[in-house]
Amino acid sequence: RARLDVLSEIPREWARQLASWARAHRGLKTRVQDRLAPDAHMEYVIYQTLVGMWPIGGAAEPERGELRERASVFARKAAREAKARTSWIDINEEYEGALASFIDALFSRPEFLRELEAFVARIMPSGALNAIARTVLHLTSPGFPDIYQGDELWNFSLVDPDNRGPVSYESRRAALATLDTMSPSGDMAESIEAKWLTRQDSVTIKLAIIRNCLRARADHAPLFAHGSYQPLAAHGPRGANIFAFARRSAASSPDDAAIIVVPRLTHAFAPHSPPIGDFWQNTELHLDARTPSAPYWRCAISGHELAIPANPAPPSSSVSTIRLPLSDILAQAPVAVLLPIPTPLTATSYQ
């Protein structure tokens, strides 16, 4: 889903690709009851499904048989639930056979598979960033998050029955052990860890973010369970590409807070490099008087530290008086979960 969200940013490019495939594959359709099968709607569903489920690194010949079978099962399920030409209670076997034959024919066309992999490669980086940003929001927004089985790593499963397959918890335990070896403290502060985090093709990047966000929730349980929600604005050349908010704890612990920052609408820049560091030059996050003014903050994802001066505005004011450069907030990772700390190891200060 995170990858398919990218299609909303490139409607013209996606429409051109669909039109090209529709023209090239018209001869692969079968006439069923005087109508071509699949119809335009199901043909669209098939292409979109393949774009969403295709592996990050591409699919070698041995994998393609499994992908073809999964796509066929999903197309049959989707067609039955659409109830246009087949359904669960009135199965049209001839039409469903035409769907399967169409998918088989697509997989037998090397040119289509090359075009499919090239298209997926163009939107994959932004899809990965969408997934990372969504994971952080899921674990830090108001409410109590859950994680669907198997979603700790990149997950390209389709709906039932695809998503009911066995989950390898052994591989996840091994991945967690690897994370602890790379960063025993868990804060990813080491430079090797910071570089590793920005590799979107890393199989464990999502797991690392989940682990660190859950640790933050455990360390600040009242804040994330009952804390308030305050949207934050970003201004500058990339202001529209930022989604940010603050959480503030109840009166019993007013100094406990969190500032969450994630990127959005990333397709225009994601293919070049992860949006970190100088990419956000001249774009700033604005804090107002309601934002807790703890002097020192550390990112639970990257370990990066900041020193933020007290806000001189009166508590009743909503005027922004502190502006934080996003180039520093996101200096080591494309997302940030800032939490107050008593004393920093090192910190960048803003006046």
Side-chain angles (χ1 to χ4, degrees), residues 261-302:
V261 183
V262 301
R264 62 185 293 269
L265 301 174
T266 61
H267 179 70
F269 51 81
H272 306 294
S273 65
I276 58 175
D278 290 343
F279 174 85
W280 299 104
Q281 199 70 32
N282 301 320
T283 303
E284 299 173 318
L285 186 68
H286 291 203
L287 306 181
D288 62 31
R290 294 170 294 175
T291 306
S293 55
Y296 303 115
W297 300 72
R298 178 185 293 160
C299 178
I301 304 299
S302 67

Side-chain angles (χ1 to χ4, degrees), residues 180-191:
D180 288 332
T181 299
M182 295 178 70
S183 180
S185 63
D187 64 8
M188 301 187 186
E190 292 83 353
S191 59

Side-chain angles (χ1 to χ4, degrees), residues 165-312:
V167 176
S168 174
Y169 292 105
E170 292 78 8
S171 64
R172 283 157 177 77
R173 280 192 288 269
L176 278 173
T178 299
L179 292 179
D180 288 332
T181 299
M182 295 178 70
S183 180
S185 63
D187 64 8
M188 301 187 186
E190 292 83 353
S191 59
I192 185 174
E193 189 70 8
K195 294 176 181 178
W196 164 84
L197 181 68
T198 61
R199 285 177 44 208
Q200 295 172 352
D201 61 344
S202 170
V203 71
T204 51
I205 182 173
K206 187 178 176 184
L207 178 66
I209 290 173
I210 290 173
R211 179 198 64 173
N212 283 22
C213 285
L214 290 179
R215 285 180 174 177
R217 288 186 67 95
D219 293 340
H220 301 263
L223 168 67
F224 287 104
H226 308 293
S228 62
Y229 172 93
Q230 173 195 347
L232 299 176
H235 296 285
R238 300 289 186 182
N241 297 106
I242 282 293
F243 182 87
F245 60 92
R247 302 292 307 274
R248 187 172 185 176
S249 199
S252 58
S253 52
D255 293 332
D256 199 10
I259 298 173
I260 292 87
V261 183
V262 301
R264 62 185 293 269
L265 301 174
T266 61
H267 179 70
F269 51 81
H272 306 294
S273 65
I276 58 175
D278 290 343
F279 174 85
W280 299 104
Q281 199 70 32
N282 301 320
T283 303
E284 299 173 318
L285 186 68
H286 291 203
L287 306 181
D288 62 31
R290 294 170 294 175
T291 306
S293 55
Y296 303 115
W297 300 72
R298 178 185 293 160
C299 178
I301 304 299
S302 67
H304 186 57
E305 296 176 352
L306 298 173
I308 304 177
N311 196 329

Side-chain angles (χ1 to χ4, degrees), residues 11 14 24 30 32 48 57 63 80 92 101 104 106 114 159 225 237-238 259 261 264 268 280 293-294 299 335:
W14 178 228
T30 305
V32 177
Q48 179 175 277
E63 299 176 81
R80 289 181 181 180
N92 185 333
S101 295
D104 288 346
L106 290 179
R114 285 194 299 270
V159 296
R238 300 289 186 182
I259 298 173
V261 183
R264 62 185 293 269
W280 299 104
S293 55
C299 178
V335 294

Side-chain angles (χ1 to χ4, degrees), residues 72-93 95-96 159-162:
S72 293
V73 171
F74 177 81
R76 182 179 63 203
K77 172 185 170 65
R80 289 181 181 180
E81 294 183 351
K83 301 179 182 178
R85 300 185 65 178
T86 186
S87 69
W88 291 105
I89 61 174
D90 187 16
I91 296 174
N92 185 333
E93 293 184 358
Y95 177 75
E96 293 182 2
V159 296
D160 179 50
D162 208 4

